[in-house]
Amino acid sequence: MSVRIRLTRVGATKQPTYRVVVANSASARDSRSIEILGHYNPRSTPVEFVVDGDKVKAWIAKGAQPSDTVARLLRGAGVLPAGK
């Protein structure tokens, strides 16, 4: 079972917000997740991105791979180094 750190969509129609979750890579986008690590709201000004950095680092140490979008957000928040 490969595990990914990715976004899952929540919120009303045309008003998306996202949760940063750890989920099985074969599962659907909005299906059950293993753990919730934070949230992301691209519609607020400024953009709101809250994540538990310690949990993210622990999951990456266990072999979880962040999606491209989550990796970009984590680099912006300073959780991941810029080169990764």
Side-chain angles (χ1 to χ4, degrees):
M1 173 175 98
S2 60
V3 178
R4 301 279 294 186
I5 301 173
R6 63 184 183 191
L7 298 175
T8 184
R9 190 182 192 277
V10 293
T13 304
K14 303 207 184 230
Q15 296 179 4
T17 58
Y18 301 90
R19 287 186 184 141
V20 180
V21 299
V22 178
N24 183 355
S25 62
S27 64
R29 179 191 71 184
D30 295 336
S31 64
R32 186 173 174 187
S33 61
I34 299 170
E35 185 175 7
I36 298 173
L37 303 177
H39 66 274
Y40 169 57
N41 184 1
R43 301 184 75 238
S44 66
T45 305
V47 172
E48 181 181 5
F49 180 66
V50 178
V51 70
D52 187 342
D54 295 333
K55 286 184 181 180
V56 170
K57 290 177 184 177
W59 275 106
I60 290 174
K62 293 177 188 176
Q65 295 292 318
S67 67
D68 294 339
T69 303
V70 171
R72 178 181 54 82
L73 291 170
L74 291 173
R75 280 193 298 272
V79 177
L80 287 181
K84 246 185 173 176

